[in-house]
Amino acid sequence: MKKQIFMYFLAIALIMAISTKLPALNAWAQLPIPNNPLPEMLKRVIPAVVNISTRIRLSHKENPLFKDPFYRELFDMSDKSLEWEIQNLGSGVVIDASKGYVITNHHVIDKADQITVTLQDNRSYDATVIGSDPNTEIALIKIKTGKLVELPKGNSDTLQVGDIVVAIGSPFGLGQTVTSGIISALGRSSLGIEGYEDFIQTDASINPGNSGGALVNLQGELIGINTAIVGPNGSNVGIGFAIPINMANHVVKQIIQYGNIQRGQIGIQIQNITPDLARTFNIKQQQGAIISGVIPGSPADKAGLKKGDIVIAMNGQPIDTSTRLSNSIALMRVGDKVDLHISRDGQEKTIKTRIAKTDNNAELGNQY
């Protein structure tokens, strides 16, 4: 009994001792994190992230109904009321200070009649569109000024789930805003957001207006272009997506060289390896893209590719899904060489071919 009483009073004494230290502990918790690398990194990075505002002029004249004077009078559609403007907000990243190149999302500048880029120091400039690709949601615009800060590019192929990242943009037109989080997943696809998808998923807050902004690593390198969120009514629930910078780089290089994307194909139909396909083709391979068809007369046909071949690498880069293979082909231009490392009947070999023109580069199908 005496022992129990002793333990009781000892517990009370400990609680009182801890409670008297709570203010001090709370003050200690609020002290700055020692050696926190973010503030110094952000001082270098934030000036390279810009606000983009656009104006789009729309007209009722595009509707044949309002070309009839009767309907124009019926709906009181005077010439003055036939036109109106829509304003959109987004973000962008300076990737070449000397040339004034700014990368952003296609939907940020799509159909814009006027594009204005505002820097961190509130300088504003009119921008021109160099080129845009709706299938990857990448656009390149240009501003004329000699005083820009560009963001160095990282390597998105080396990213890992759990890496700490920072998202920077102009949500709701508030100006440069920083949020942080981790990489939640890599290689996200089949979301119906773009034609070619290989998204970085992050829980760093991405909100309306962040589109086209920067996703950076702790070294202050650009690793992705913030693009979309998934959530009820467009609200943020910690699921955001960014285009890997390596994919964006491929698109930008073609835009600079050609002004557009010269997308081609080698003439194959592909699928992911499923248990049913594995049984059908009697294969043990668990990763890769299986060729389910070869277009007669195509570069793939002439190179000797066959139905049932499993593509496990392209130009030295591993292929684990059909999506990764289709994206890899889509990022190459017409005439580029392609080395496909395949598995056929349990034997591995490399087949060389080239990207050829398609009948309609703007349409996506099941042929690559």
Side-chain angles (χ1 to χ4, degrees), residues 258-330:
Y258 300 105
N260 56 28
I261 304 302
Q262 296 194 354
R263 189 165 281 122
Q265 65 177 21
I266 60 175
I268 56 175
Q269 296 170 320
I270 54 178
Q271 292 178 258
N272 282 328
I273 297 176
T274 64
D276 288 340
L277 284 174
R279 285 192 294 270
T280 300
F281 290 99
N282 192 27
I283 56 177
K284 296 181 180 179
Q285 188 78 25
Q286 297 299 310
Q287 288 189 325
I290 188 167
I291 296 178
S292 56
V294 178
I295 311 304
S298 67
D301 183 32
K302 294 175 182 178
L305 287 168
K306 298 180 180 180
K307 181 178 180 179
D309 288 346
I310 302 170
V311 181
I312 55 180
M314 174 175 159
N315 292 345
Q317 297 298 316
I319 298 295
D320 54 358
T321 64
S322 61
T323 299
R324 190 168 298 278
L325 178 58
S326 64
N327 287 342
S328 298
I329 293 173

Side-chain angles (χ1 to χ4, degrees), residues 252-263:
V252 166
K253 286 178 181 177
Q254 289 205 47
I255 287 175
I256 292 173
Q257 186 169 357
Y258 300 105
N260 56 28
I261 304 302
Q262 296 194 354
R263 189 165 281 122

Side-chain angles (χ1 to χ4, degrees), residues 92-104:
V93 185
V94 179
I95 58 171
D96 191 324
S98 63
K99 296 181 179 179
Y101 286 153
V102 177
I103 191 171
T104 185

Side-chain angles (χ1 to χ4, degrees), residues 3-61:
K3 183 177 180 181
Q4 291 177 339
I5 293 174
F6 173 78
M7 295 299 295
Y8 175 78
F9 282 105
L10 178 61
I12 291 177
L14 287 172
I15 292 172
M16 292 179 66
I18 292 173
S19 63
T20 58
K21 294 293 185 180
L22 282 178
L25 289 171
N26 185 54
W28 177 259
Q30 294 179 6
L31 287 175
I33 300 172
N35 301 320
N36 181 6
L38 289 180
E40 289 302 318
M41 180 271 283
L42 290 171
K43 288 178 183 178
R44 303 191 308 270
V45 169
I46 288 178
V49 182
V50 303
N51 170 269
I52 297 177
S53 60
T54 64
R55 293 179 182 270
I56 303 173
R57 297 182 182 90
L58 299 178
S59 171
H60 280 299
K61 293 178 182 178

